[in-house]
Structures are given as C-alpha cells and as structure tokens.
C-alpha cells in the first residue's frame, strides 16, 4: 500500500475543531477512552481465541511515556484492524454517529464548556486524543489475518494519512505527540492516578514501564501494573473477605471510616444486565441534611470502565444514604448526564436497585431488630421522604417506618404493623400527633381521652412527618387521624356537649371577644379529661409545628386561626363561668382568658407571642392568690 492523504468529511472537521478546543471540561478522560477502546479490542480477540486457540496469549494494555520525544503511547495486543477497518472506524469517526453528535450539539445551543460529554455515546471516543495531542499516529495489525499492518496519522486539521507499516504482532499502538500544555501526561504519577480513578477494574493488566537508576548509574526497567483488576462487585460474596468489603466501602463512601451496616449484592440479567454492590452505612455523616455538601447517587461503571461517581438516576433520593457501584453491560461508554437522564435503561436499573434495598431492609427488620432500629434512628427522616414521593413502593415503605408512641418507653420505636396489631377491637383508626420532640407531644392535653381509653398514639417528631402525613391516608385499611386536628367525636358525648354549649354560651362569647383574632372558634370537646383546654387545628390547615418550620425557612404562609377547645367538666371553666356573670369582673376575666390561651400554647410546645405579658399576668394571679385581694 502506497502512502496517501485523504480528507475528512465536513462534519468530521467540525467535530475535530470541537475536540481540539477542549470539548471535555476534564482532559484526563482521553486516557479513559483509549484504554476502554484497547480493552474492547482485547475482548474481541479473546472471543476469537475460543474457536482459534492459536490466537490466545497473555492479554495486556501498555502505556509508555517518553519524556525525550514528548510522546505517550497506548498499545494493546487485541484484535487490531485492517486498512478498510481503519478507514471505516477511524477515518469517518463511526459514520452516522458524527452527524448525530453534531446535530445534538447544535440543538443544545450551549457554550463549549457546557457541552455534554457524549463522545463514547456516538462511537467517537478515540478523537478525544486531540485534546492533548498535536498529532496522533496509529499502527495496527489485524489478528488472524494476512493483511499488512497499517499506519494512520493526523494532526486534526481536516485530513489524515494512510500508509503501510511494519508490525510483527497483532494489536494496535496509538502514539500521541503531546501539546506543550499537556506534558503533565508524561508523569507516571499523573497516569497512574487517572488509571486508578477511571480504569482500575479493567480486567486486563494495564502496565507501564518503570525506570530505576542503580548505584552504578545503570538503569533497570520493570513493568508496573497500574490497575487492581479486582472488580469486587463481580465476585461471589463467599469469595470476598470482610477486610475487602471494608476497604471498598471506605473507598466508595464519603461517610468516613470502614464500618458499614450491610453489604448488598445484586445481579440482574435479561432485558437489563448489570451487577451492583451496595452498602447500608451505620452512622449518618454530619452533612446528611446538607445537599450542597453531600454527594448523591451511585458510582456508575460500564463494562468495568468508570463513568461517574454521582449518578443520581440509579437510586431514588430518599435512599441517598446508600453508597455503592453499578456496572452495566447495556449502557454506552461515556454517556453524559443529559443522556443518562433520558435513558430508559437507567429507570429499569433504579427500579431493581430500589426493590433490592427495600427487600434487604425488610430482612434486617425481621432478623436483627436492634440493628434496624439503629439504622432508622440515623436515616429515618431521610427514608420517610419516600412515603411522599415513591407511590409505587408506598406500602413497602409503610412496613419499614418506625415511630415512638405514647405507650412506648422514650427512645423505643414500633412499626405500623405492630401498632395495628396492638389496637383494641373498639379502635378503628390509627391515631398520631406531630411535634418537635417527644417531651412536648407527650404532655399534650389532646392525649388525655386516648390514654383513658387505652388507645395508643404515634409520636411523629421528625420535621418531615407533618408534610408526609398530608398524603399518607391509610395503612392496612386503617385511616390515619391526627388527634390535634379537626372535629373529634366520642360516642354518647353529643348530648353532654350540646348541654355545655347552651349552659356556657355567655362564657364562650366572652372568650371569643377577649381573644379576638387569636382564635377562629371557641367550643367544647370530649377529647379532654384532665386539662381545662387545648388548641386544635382545622383538618386541612397546617399544624403549628409545620407553620414554625416554614417560618424558619423564611416561607411566607397565611397564618391559620386555631380552635380553642374547652373541657366542660373542668372546675376552672365553671369558675370562669360564674365570674362572667359579674359585669364588674370583665377586666379580670379578660386577663384569665389570655392566660388560658397562653397556657394552651405552652402545653402544645408553641412559643408565646408575648412572654413578658404572660409573666406579668401570672405574677398578678399569684399575688392575688397569696394576698387574697
């Protein structure tokens, strides 16, 4: 074959211009692309060797930096190419892939630094070499063929040269004549760092010559293997030691340390082929609730080649504490984040990963209650987000959430299934109360009736609980009901409440007038047995706890007016009623009304609007009680 020069097509020139002017924001990726191509070439040769044993050999990828010549060579002993294959695969840059790639970039209308890293998606990863090289030379020889070796070279200026070459062994050798600003890629530390990050789990050894200067000034050259070749997620769990798990978990997680709760292996075949190794952490990191400081998602590999360490599409956000790796056989190399978001394959992987994690959590709950309770204390508030966002798995999630309750010791949690199993036959609904902490909800007057009936009440004290309960209506055909919201009916109490409303009508009107816009309504209720009053929220209104959360986040929300419920059997209500009959006692009764309202705020854990005024009014009451005046 005589040497000849050929021109690239117009769209290829456009692509080369993008490459040369740094399409990638991270130029290190060129080495990942070339190593991935080399691994693919060896895969093909190894497959051929199954039917042609004479082709079998010790497979390897070699990286050779030459500081004097300022060249970097990546070679493999894989399948190689003939002249026609070089023209087909290199000269036209994957044919139609180029046109589709450029069309997408045109549609994006983005600045160059914002363009997606789509090269591998379109089969054009080889040309990332022009980001660091002024000239690229390929010498290749096809395995199992009598065709002569081929030399291909280009400066990326719109044309390339083809010529015959001398090469004794099959395979491909790519030599990059590095640009001045890319000479860092001649340093062994730089090359080994890139390989460790992107190609550590390629199953073929990636070797690089290492020169050692002896005492007599002579040099000894030895090969150093840069990659571990140990894709732990591809091995059987029985073959992996605890130390290997800990080491890999430490490598993956941003939680620090090597302690994890559980390692989960997942292998899927069929329409979606992938393997995964996931870890449930033991302790929440300090930045778990700081999204800007925390990585989310799993590491994604495609056929052992690292793609990204933060693929959010692989796992739902409410499981963001799970760390791990997914290795897919179906996704294209070098997929961009934009392509990932649109790829239906990822949705199938995410569904399988979610199902596996929830299944393992259910097993942990059933087999090691203490360990699961510890996990839920650490990650429960994040996990519960799924109740609001993952409708497909809502019932599974309801089986896994835990809460403290009125009948449990502080710190001990129960599941919804356990709550329902313990319900008396007369109890028809699942009762709950929300608040900031156990101490505040446990002292709520709203609990009194339920305590007297032997009904348990769930304590929901995570900030997210109020938000979630707006959409969590049932569990095992039992409705959820907040004991601090809406009307409350007690069998046989209607006549008693009607009589109280008629008897104390004058007091009720006085309280409404005295409290003004602080309350929306004053009424009697059977939910109180010991306390004189409590504040209730309308069924569709925000709870005071949720209102406080929104205000803390500087959210503008309309302030809801509360309902003041009175206990008609409490002596304080009777005493205030008698006082209301004396017209000259109106100022004194108005002070009592305000203290009563503030007392109701305190018992539910809400802040007082005017603590100083409350203190003065209580002081006056104490003085009156002591002096008798």
């Amino acid at each position: 074959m005589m040497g000849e020069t050929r021109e690239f097509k117009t769209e290829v020139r456009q692509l080369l211009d993008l490459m040369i002017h740094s399409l990638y924001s991270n130029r290190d990726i060129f080495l990942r692309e070339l190593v991935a191509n080399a691994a693919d070439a060896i895969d093909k040769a190894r497959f051929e060797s199954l039917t042609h044993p004479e082709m079998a050999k010790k497979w390897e990828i070699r990286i050779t930096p030459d500081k004097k010549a300022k060249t970097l060579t990546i070679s493999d002993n894989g399948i190689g190419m003939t002249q026609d294959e070089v023209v087909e695969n290199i000269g036209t840059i994957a044919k139609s892939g180029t046109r589709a790639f450029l069309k997408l970039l045109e549609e994006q209308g983005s600045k160059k630094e914002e363009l997606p890293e789509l090269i591998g998606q379109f089969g054009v990863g080889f040309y990332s070499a022009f980001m660091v090289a002024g000239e690229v030379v390929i010498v290749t020889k096809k395995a199992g063929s009598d065709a002569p070796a081929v030399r291909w070279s280009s400066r990326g200026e719109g044309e390339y040269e083809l010529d015959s070459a001398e090469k004794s062994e099959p395979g491909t050798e790519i030599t990059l004549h590095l640009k001045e600003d890319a000479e860092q890629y001649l340093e062994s530390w730089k090359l080994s760092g890139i390989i460790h990050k992107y190609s550590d789990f390629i199953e073929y050894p990636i070797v690089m010559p290492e020169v050692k200067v002896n005492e007599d000034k002579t040099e000894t050259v030895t090969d150093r293997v840069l990659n571990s070749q140990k894709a732990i997620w591809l091995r059987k769990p029985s073959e992996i030691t605890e130390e290997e798990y800990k080491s890999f978990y430490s490598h993956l997680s941003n939680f620090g340390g090597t302690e994890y709760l559980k390692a989960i292996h997942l292998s899927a075949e069929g329409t979606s082929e992938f393997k995964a190794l996931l870890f449930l952490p033991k302790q929440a990191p300090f930045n778990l609730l700081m999204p800007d400081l925390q990585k989310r998602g799993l590491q994604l590999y495609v056929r052992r080649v690292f793609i990204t360490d933060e693929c959010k599409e692989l796992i739902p956000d409410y499981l963001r504490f799970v760390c791990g790796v997914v290795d897919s056989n179906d996704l294209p190399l070098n997929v961009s984040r934009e392509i990932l978001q649109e790829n239906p394959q990822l949705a199938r992987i995410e569904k399988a990963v979610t199902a596996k994690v929830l299944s393992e959590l259910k097993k942990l709950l059933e087999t090691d209650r203490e360990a699961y309770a510890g996990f839920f204390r650490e990650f429960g508030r994040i996990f519960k987000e799924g109740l609001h966002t993952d409708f497909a798995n809502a019932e599974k999630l309801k089986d896994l959430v835990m809460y403290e309750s009125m009948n449990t010791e502080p710190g001990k949690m129960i599941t919804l299934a356990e709550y329902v199993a313990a319900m008396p036959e007369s109890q028809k609904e699942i009762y709950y109360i929300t608040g900031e902490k156990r101490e505040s909800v446990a002292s709520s007057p709203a609990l009194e009736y339920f305590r007297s009936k032997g009904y348990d009440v769930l304590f929901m004290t995570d900030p997210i609980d109020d938000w979630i309960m707006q959409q969590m209506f049932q569990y095992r055909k039992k409705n959820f009901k907040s004991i601090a919201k809406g009307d409350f009916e007690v069998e046989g109490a209607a006549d008693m409440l009607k009589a109280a409303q008629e008897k104390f009508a004058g007091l009720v009107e006085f309280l409404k007038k005295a409290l003004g816009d602080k309350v929306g309504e004053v009424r009697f209720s059977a939910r109180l047995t010991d306390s004189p009053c409590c504040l209730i929220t309308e069924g569709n209104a925000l709870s005071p706890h949720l209102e406080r959360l929104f205000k803390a986040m500087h959210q503008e929300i309309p302030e809801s007016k509360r309902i003041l419920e009175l206990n008609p059997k409490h002596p304080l209500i009777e005493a205030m009623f008698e006082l209301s009959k004396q017209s000259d006692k109106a100022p004194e009764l108005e002070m009592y009304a305000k203290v009563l309202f503030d007392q109701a705020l305190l018992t539910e854990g809400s802040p007082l609007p005017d603590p100083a005024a409350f203190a003065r009014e209580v002081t006056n009451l104490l003085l009156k009680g002591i002096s008798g005046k």
Side-chain angles (χ1 to χ4, degrees):
M1 177 180 65
M2 299 297 292
E4 57 178 303
T5 300
R6 300 187 184 185
E7 288 191 358
F8 291 118
K9 294 180 180 179
T10 303
E11 64 267 20
V12 176
R13 291 197 195 102
Q14 291 176 277
L15 181 58
L16 286 171
D17 182 66
L18 286 170
M19 294 293 183
I20 294 168
H21 293 89
S22 300
L23 173 64
Y24 283 131
S25 59
N26 177 10
R27 296 203 296 178
D28 292 357
I29 294 175
F30 86 91
L31 188 56
R32 180 189 76 178
E33 293 295 315
L34 297 183
V35 167
N37 288 348
D40 285 344
I42 295 176
D43 281 341
K44 292 173 183 176
R46 191 173 69 169
F47 180 78
E48 289 289 327
S49 71
L50 296 177
T51 53
H52 298 84
E54 69 277 5
M55 292 177 60
K57 60 185 70 175
K58 182 181 178 182
W59 310 108
E60 71 173 21
I61 300 168
R62 182 169 290 272
I63 298 176
T64 309
D66 187 332
K67 290 186 177 181
K68 291 181 180 179
K70 297 181 181 179
T71 62
L72 179 65
T73 301
I74 297 92
S75 60
D76 65 74
N77 54 0
I79 197 68
M81 291 178 283
T82 63
Q83 178 185 342
D84 289 343
E85 288 172 333
V86 169
V87 173
E88 180 79 2
N89 297 321
I90 304 296
T92 61
I93 316 184
K95 300 169 288 182
S96 62
T98 306
R99 190 180 301 276
F101 179 70
L102 291 170
K103 182 181 179 182
L104 183 62
L105 296 187
E106 186 179 340
E107 291 173 354
Q108 288 274 344
S110 304
K111 297 178 182 178
K112 270 188 243 181
E113 60 267 20
E114 297 173 345
L115 292 175
E117 297 177 359
L118 296 167
I119 293 176
Q121 170 76 14
F122 291 88
V124 293
F126 163 75
Y127 273 81
S128 60
F130 282 97
M131 293 190 299
V132 298
E135 181 182 12
V136 178
V137 177
I138 301 174
V139 176
T140 182
K141 179 177 174 62
K142 179 76 172 186
S145 169
D146 295 331
V150 182
R151 185 182 187 276
W152 179 100
S153 65
S154 176
R155 290 184 172 273
E157 296 173 349
E159 59 185 26
Y160 60 91
E161 295 181 0
L162 280 173
D163 204 347
S164 57
E166 292 294 326
K167 194 175 191 317
S168 58
E169 295 294 326
T172 300
E173 181 181 280
I174 302 174
T175 301
L176 312 182
H177 294 263
L178 297 177
K179 299 174 182 179
E180 286 188 10
D181 65 350
E183 291 180 11
Q184 58 180 315
Y185 296 108
L186 295 172
E187 301 295 337
S188 60
W189 62 267
K190 180 67 173 178
L191 296 170
S192 60
I194 296 172
I195 294 300
H196 178 71
K197 180 176 181 180
Y198 292 106
S199 308
D200 194 50
F201 303 115
I202 294 288
E203 62 181 308
Y204 310 111
I206 303 171
V207 299
M208 183 172 64
E210 194 170 60
V211 179
K212 179 182 178 182
V213 179
N214 302 313
E215 293 182 359
D216 60 359
K217 301 297 178 68
T218 59
E219 293 182 349
T220 302
V221 180
T222 57
D223 283 343
R224 178 161 70 98
V225 178
L226 303 181
N227 60 323
S228 71
Q229 306 167 66
K230 293 180 180 179
I232 188 173
W233 59 86
L234 299 180
R235 295 159 56 190
K236 295 179 181 178
S238 59
E239 298 174 351
I240 305 171
T241 67
E242 184 62 23
E243 286 306 311
E244 287 177 312
Y245 275 129
K246 288 182 176 180
S247 176
F248 190 61
Y249 173 73
S250 181
H251 167 73
L252 280 178
S253 76
N254 62 338
F255 293 180
T258 60
E259 295 300 319
Y260 61 91
L261 180 61
K262 189 175 182 63
I264 303 171
H265 285 264
L266 175 58
S267 180
E269 297 179 354
T271 56
S272 177
E273 292 191 7
F274 70 92
K275 291 186 183 293
L277 175 55
L278 314 170
F279 290 92
L280 295 176
K282 261 189 179 179
Q283 292 183 315
F286 74 94
N287 61 354
L288 182 65
L289 301 176
M290 303 176 187
D292 294 339
L293 298 179
Q294 186 198 12
K295 286 185 178 181
R296 299 190 181 190
L298 304 177
Q299 287 195 2
L300 174 63
Y301 283 73
V302 175
R303 296 185 293 280
R304 290 192 178 193
V305 178
F306 177 78
I307 301 299
T308 177
D309 63 353
E310 199 172 356
C311 188
K312 299 176 183 177
E313 293 76 18
L314 291 174
I315 198 164
D317 203 44
Y318 70 90
L319 294 178
R320 58 186 176 271
F321 50 81
V322 176
C323 65
V325 57
V326 170
D327 190 347
S328 170
N329 288 333
D330 302 324
L331 290 169
L333 279 173
N334 197 27
V335 284
S336 72
R337 294 189 187 279
E338 288 81 1
I339 291 297
L340 284 174
Q341 291 167 359
E342 299 169 2
N343 197 305
Q345 193 69 17
L346 284 184
R348 288 191 283 271
I349 295 176
E350 189 254 16
K351 183 178 179 181
V353 166
T354 303
K356 182 66 173 179
V357 171
L358 296 184
S359 172
E360 291 296 324
L361 286 173
K362 185 69 178 295
K363 288 180 185 177
L364 186 65
L365 171 62
E366 294 170 348
T367 60
D368 192 341
R369 176 59 176 263
E370 186 176 346
Y372 183 82
F375 156 81
F376 200 81
R377 276 190 287 270
E378 293 288 316
F379 300 101
R381 66 170 59 183
I382 302 298
F383 183 74
K384 282 189 282 189
E385 291 175 11
L387 293 168
H388 191 84
T389 58
D390 189 355
F391 301 113
N393 290 301
E395 295 307 310
K396 293 179 182 178
L397 294 171
K398 289 175 186 177
D399 284 334
L400 292 169
V401 293
M402 303 183 81
Y403 303 95
E404 290 188 56
S405 79
M406 181 172 66
N407 291 346
T408 64
E409 299 174 3
K412 185 178 180 181
M413 296 183 290
I414 59 173
T415 64
L416 292 178
E418 290 164 342
Y419 177 93
V420 170
M423 285 171 56
E425 190 174 341
S426 59
Q427 184 180 345
K428 305 303 180 185
E429 296 175 303
I430 299 173
Y431 298 115
Y432 71 93
I433 184 172
T434 61
E436 291 183 9
K437 54 186 178 179
R438 181 187 175 100
E439 290 78 8
S440 60
V441 295
S443 60
S444 170
L447 295 173
E448 293 172 2
Y449 170 80
F450 302 90
R451 190 177 285 116
S452 69
K453 294 288 290 183
Y455 297 164
D456 201 1
V457 178
L458 295 173
F459 290 169
M460 299 189 175
T461 54
D462 278 335
I464 197 173
D465 286 329
D466 259 312
W467 175 62
I468 289 169
M469 294 312 295
Q470 294 180 57
Q471 282 191 286
M472 197 159 82
F473 306 114
Q474 279 192 340
Y475 177 73
R476 297 189 179 179
K477 298 182 180 180
K478 302 286 186 182
N479 291 328
F480 286 94
K481 182 171 180 59
S482 170
I483 66 168
K485 275 192 174 187
D487 293 330
F488 184 75
E489 296 180 4
V490 175
E491 188 176 350
D495 292 341
M496 180 268 290
L497 293 177
K498 183 179 179 182
Q501 199 72 28
E502 292 174 355
K503 175 181 177 181
F504 299 117
L507 175 63
V508 168
E509 288 304 314
F510 182 90
L511 291 175
K512 285 181 180 178
K513 185 177 179 181
L515 296 175
D517 59 3
K518 289 183 178 180
V519 296
E521 186 181 351
V522 178
R523 69 189 184 198
F524 288 94
S525 170
R527 82 176 82 217
L528 298 169
T529 60
D530 300 318
S531 300
C533 67
C534 69
L535 288 169
I536 299 300
T537 305
E538 286 287 7
N540 58 352
L542 295 179
S543 71
H545 177 49
L546 198 54
E547 280 187 3
R548 290 194 294 273
L549 288 175
F550 278 123
K551 288 178 181 178
M553 296 185 291
H554 307 290
Q555 298 283 334
E556 292 292 332
I557 56 168
E559 193 142 350
S560 59
K561 292 185 178 181
R562 311 293 301 288
I563 298 169
L564 180 65
E565 288 196 345
L566 305 175
N567 179 0
K569 296 181 180 179
H570 200 281
L572 178 59
I573 302 302
E574 185 72 40
M576 291 181 70
F577 172 65
E578 293 298 327
L579 195 63
S580 69
K581 294 178 181 178
Q582 305 174 40
S583 58
D584 62 326
K585 295 292 185 180
E588 189 176 324
L589 186 59
E590 184 173 343
M591 181 181 69
Y592 292 155
K594 292 177 180 177
V595 171
L596 191 70
F597 177 78
D598 285 348
Q599 179 188 3
L601 285 175
L602 287 174
T603 55
E604 73 172 13
S606 292
L608 297 178
D610 189 349
F614 177 73
R616 286 195 301 270
E617 288 159 356
V618 171
T619 300
N620 289 335
L621 288 172
L622 290 172
L623 180 61
K624 182 179 179 182
I626 294 172
S627 64
K629 296 180 181 180

